Structure formats: structure tokens, C-alpha cells
Amino acid sequence: MAWISFTKRQRKRLFVTVLIAGALAIASALVLYALRQNINLFYSPTQVAEKQAPLNHTIRVGGLVKKGSVKKSQRGLQVQFILTDYHHTLVVHYQGLLPDLFREGQGIVAEGTLTSPEHFVADTVLAKHDATYTPPPVKEILNDR
């Protein structure tokens, strides 16, 4: 009965308001869905070993490059190294040029895909300029030991 008491002008305004609100809700949902797919979460080797990191999704892992673990291919730009947080380790495979500041014992962040709980295929490797740099989540883990 309340609907019948609206004037024609009021019904038109209500219709336009509901239409705009619906369009905004759909646009917001699409933006959130697109952003959700592009979020790259950060994990430590311990979190990867505890299976907190998703397999076959783009993620970031960070830690220290284990001393004596860097193996460079004779042919091509393939590199394999072990990333550690002193609790667990993770084998990282990377094809490309490493940053100039990449060294054993250095803190790094690698972005790529976790193919198994022990193997990570990196698309990007980032190293910080300071030799004492450690990614904040890794620093917390290292301070706990």
C-alpha cells in the first residue's frame, strides 16, 4: 500500500537510486575480484614448509640465501639456490639475471610460483642494498630463534 502512495516523480527517483546503487555494487564487486587475483602474499620458508602457502599461485617468499647453495648453470642463465630462515629451507629455481647485490647470506625476496612445498620457481629476485637487510617477516622469525 505504501508503494501506491508514491507519486510518479518519487517512483522515478527511487528507481534511479536503486539502479545507481546496484551498478556501484556490481562495479565494487568486480574491482575487489580483480584485486584479489593480483595480491601476492609474502611467506617465509617455515610457512611454506607448514603448508600455509598455496601451491601454483603467484606468491613472494623471503629469507636468506644459504651459504654455499648457489649453483649457476654452465649454459644459460639458470640459477638454483636455497632460501632459509634458519628453521626451514626452500629450493629456489630462477632463470634470468640476478641483481648485482645478490649474495650468499644476503636477505632476498623472490616472486614466483610454489610448485611443491620444497621447490619454488621464481620470476623475479629482489635484493636490498644493505648487507644487513632482512625482510621484516623474516626478521621476526629470526629474532624468535
Side-chain angles (χ1 to χ4, degrees), residues 41 43 51-59 114:
L41 299 175
Y43 296 94
K51 298 184 177 163
Q52 295 177 14
L55 293 176
N56 302 317
H57 287 292
T58 301
I59 62 169
L114 186 64

PDB file of all heavy atoms in Angstrom, residues 41 43 51-59 114:
ATOM      1  N   LEU A  41      50.982 -12.553  -1.744  1.00  0.00           N
ATOM      2  CA  LEU A  41      51.260 -12.620  -0.321  1.00  0.00           C
ATOM      3  C   LEU A  41      52.691 -13.055  -0.072  1.00  0.00           C
ATOM      4  O   LEU A  41      53.295 -13.758  -0.864  1.00  0.00           O
ATOM      5  CB  LEU A  41      50.274 -13.569   0.349  1.00  0.00           C
ATOM      6  CG  LEU A  41      48.809 -13.146   0.234  1.00  0.00           C
ATOM      7  CD1 LEU A  41      47.905 -14.208   0.828  1.00  0.00           C
ATOM      8  CD2 LEU A  41      48.565 -11.816   0.907  1.00  0.00           C
ATOM      9  N   TYR A  43      55.539 -15.053   2.179  1.00  0.00           N
ATOM     10  CA  TYR A  43      55.681 -16.222   3.049  1.00  0.00           C
ATOM     11  C   TYR A  43      57.154 -16.455   3.350  1.00  0.00           C
ATOM     12  O   TYR A  43      58.022 -16.165   2.538  1.00  0.00           O
ATOM     13  CB  TYR A  43      55.105 -17.474   2.386  1.00  0.00           C
ATOM     14  CG  TYR A  43      53.622 -17.404   2.153  1.00  0.00           C
ATOM     15  CD1 TYR A  43      53.115 -16.973   0.933  1.00  0.00           C
ATOM     16  CD2 TYR A  43      52.723 -17.754   3.147  1.00  0.00           C
ATOM     17  CE1 TYR A  43      51.752 -16.895   0.713  1.00  0.00           C
ATOM     18  CE2 TYR A  43      51.355 -17.683   2.939  1.00  0.00           C
ATOM     19  CZ  TYR A  43      50.882 -17.253   1.721  1.00  0.00           C
ATOM     20  OH  TYR A  43      49.535 -17.168   1.508  1.00  0.00           O
ATOM     21  N   LYS A  51      52.923 -25.636   5.026  1.00  0.00           N
ATOM     22  CA  LYS A  51      51.854 -25.666   4.019  1.00  0.00           C
ATOM     23  C   LYS A  51      50.828 -24.543   4.198  1.00  0.00           C
ATOM     24  O   LYS A  51      49.651 -24.719   3.932  1.00  0.00           O
ATOM     25  CB  LYS A  51      51.183 -27.033   4.004  1.00  0.00           C
ATOM     26  CG  LYS A  51      52.166 -28.108   3.622  1.00  0.00           C
ATOM     27  CD  LYS A  51      51.537 -29.460   3.490  1.00  0.00           C
ATOM     28  CE  LYS A  51      52.646 -30.379   3.044  1.00  0.00           C
ATOM     29  NZ  LYS A  51      52.457 -31.720   3.183  1.00  0.00           N
ATOM     30  N   GLN A  52      51.312 -23.379   4.634  1.00  0.00           N
ATOM     31  CA  GLN A  52      50.448 -22.204   4.721  1.00  0.00           C
ATOM     32  C   GLN A  52      50.396 -21.458   3.389  1.00  0.00           C
ATOM     33  O   GLN A  52      49.496 -20.660   3.166  1.00  0.00           O
ATOM     34  CB  GLN A  52      50.951 -21.265   5.817  1.00  0.00           C
ATOM     35  CG  GLN A  52      50.859 -21.842   7.199  1.00  0.00           C
ATOM     36  CD  GLN A  52      51.432 -20.910   8.250  1.00  0.00           C
ATOM     37  OE1 GLN A  52      51.662 -19.731   8.003  1.00  0.00           O
ATOM     38  NE2 GLN A  52      51.674 -21.436   9.436  1.00  0.00           N
ATOM     39  N   ALA A  53      51.360 -21.718   2.523  1.00  0.00           N
ATOM     40  CA  ALA A  53      51.430 -21.051   1.223  1.00  0.00           C
ATOM     41  C   ALA A  53      50.713 -21.897   0.170  1.00  0.00           C
ATOM     42  O   ALA A  53      50.861 -23.119   0.148  1.00  0.00           O
ATOM     43  CB  ALA A  53      52.886 -20.844   0.820  1.00  0.00           C
ATOM     44  N   PRO A  54      49.956 -21.270  -0.720  1.00  0.00           N
ATOM     45  CA  PRO A  54      49.234 -22.019  -1.747  1.00  0.00           C
ATOM     46  C   PRO A  54      50.161 -22.486  -2.868  1.00  0.00           C
ATOM     47  O   PRO A  54      51.073 -21.768  -3.274  1.00  0.00           O
ATOM     48  CB  PRO A  54      48.212 -21.006  -2.273  1.00  0.00           C
ATOM     49  CG  PRO A  54      48.866 -19.682  -2.054  1.00  0.00           C
ATOM     50  CD  PRO A  54      49.673 -19.831  -0.793  1.00  0.00           C
ATOM     51  N   LEU A  55      49.921 -23.686  -3.350  1.00  0.00           N
ATOM     52  CA  LEU A  55      50.666 -24.212  -4.489  1.00  0.00           C
ATOM     53  C   LEU A  55      50.120 -23.611  -5.782  1.00  0.00           C
ATOM     54  O   LEU A  55      48.929 -23.339  -5.904  1.00  0.00           O
ATOM     55  CB  LEU A  55      50.557 -25.735  -4.556  1.00  0.00           C
ATOM     56  CG  LEU A  55      51.233 -26.517  -3.441  1.00  0.00           C
ATOM     57  CD1 LEU A  55      50.945 -28.003  -3.599  1.00  0.00           C
ATOM     58  CD2 LEU A  55      52.724 -26.272  -3.425  1.00  0.00           C
ATOM     59  N   ASN A  56      51.000 -23.432  -6.760  1.00  0.00           N
ATOM     60  CA  ASN A  56      50.647 -22.980  -8.112  1.00  0.00           C
ATOM     61  C   ASN A  56      49.926 -21.632  -8.149  1.00  0.00           C
ATOM     62  O   ASN A  56      49.066 -21.412  -8.991  1.00  0.00           O
ATOM     63  CB  ASN A  56      49.823 -24.058  -8.833  1.00  0.00           C
ATOM     64  CG  ASN A  56      50.575 -25.361  -8.918  1.00  0.00           C
ATOM     65  OD1 ASN A  56      51.769 -25.378  -9.220  1.00  0.00           O
ATOM     66  ND2 ASN A  56      49.921 -26.457  -8.618  1.00  0.00           N
ATOM     67  N   HIS A  57      50.254 -20.744  -7.215  1.00  0.00           N
ATOM     68  CA  HIS A  57      49.763 -19.367  -7.218  1.00  0.00           C
ATOM     69  C   HIS A  57      50.974 -18.452  -7.107  1.00  0.00           C
ATOM     70  O   HIS A  57      51.979 -18.812  -6.509  1.00  0.00           O
ATOM     71  CB  HIS A  57      48.823 -19.089  -6.044  1.00  0.00           C
ATOM     72  CG  HIS A  57      47.482 -19.728  -6.185  1.00  0.00           C
ATOM     73  ND1 HIS A  57      46.567 -19.350  -7.135  1.00  0.00           N
ATOM     74  CD2 HIS A  57      46.897 -20.726  -5.497  1.00  0.00           C
ATOM     75  CE1 HIS A  57      45.489 -20.090  -7.023  1.00  0.00           C
ATOM     76  NE2 HIS A  57      45.663 -20.948  -6.037  1.00  0.00           N
ATOM     77  N   THR A  58      50.877 -17.261  -7.641  1.00  0.00           N
ATOM     78  CA  THR A  58      51.972 -16.314  -7.537  1.00  0.00           C
ATOM     79  C   THR A  58      52.045 -15.787  -6.108  1.00  0.00           C
ATOM     80  O   THR A  58      51.062 -15.255  -5.591  1.00  0.00           O
ATOM     81  CB  THR A  58      51.789 -15.144  -8.515  1.00  0.00           C
ATOM     82  OG1 THR A  58      51.729 -15.667  -9.839  1.00  0.00           O
ATOM     83  CG2 THR A  58      52.934 -14.163  -8.423  1.00  0.00           C
ATOM     84  N   ILE A  59      53.199 -15.980  -5.485  1.00  0.00           N
ATOM     85  CA  ILE A  59      53.430 -15.516  -4.118  1.00  0.00           C
ATOM     86  C   ILE A  59      54.839 -14.936  -4.029  1.00  0.00           C
ATOM     87  O   ILE A  59      55.612 -15.024  -4.980  1.00  0.00           O
ATOM     88  CB  ILE A  59      53.270 -16.648  -3.077  1.00  0.00           C
ATOM     89  CG1 ILE A  59      54.296 -17.758  -3.320  1.00  0.00           C
ATOM     90  CG2 ILE A  59      51.854 -17.182  -3.061  1.00  0.00           C
ATOM     91  CD1 ILE A  59      54.378 -18.773  -2.198  1.00  0.00           C
ATOM     92  N   LEU A 114      55.057 -21.464  -6.233  1.00  0.00           N
ATOM     93  CA  LEU A 114      55.446 -22.609  -5.417  1.00  0.00           C
ATOM     94  C   LEU A 114      54.930 -23.866  -6.116  1.00  0.00           C
ATOM     95  O   LEU A 114      53.724 -24.065  -6.242  1.00  0.00           O
ATOM     96  CB  LEU A 114      54.843 -22.471  -4.023  1.00  0.00           C
ATOM     97  CG  LEU A 114      55.237 -23.489  -2.986  1.00  0.00           C
ATOM     98  CD1 LEU A 114      56.732 -23.403  -2.688  1.00  0.00           C
ATOM     99  CD2 LEU A 114      54.451 -23.278  -1.707  1.00  0.00           C
TER     100      LEU A 114
END
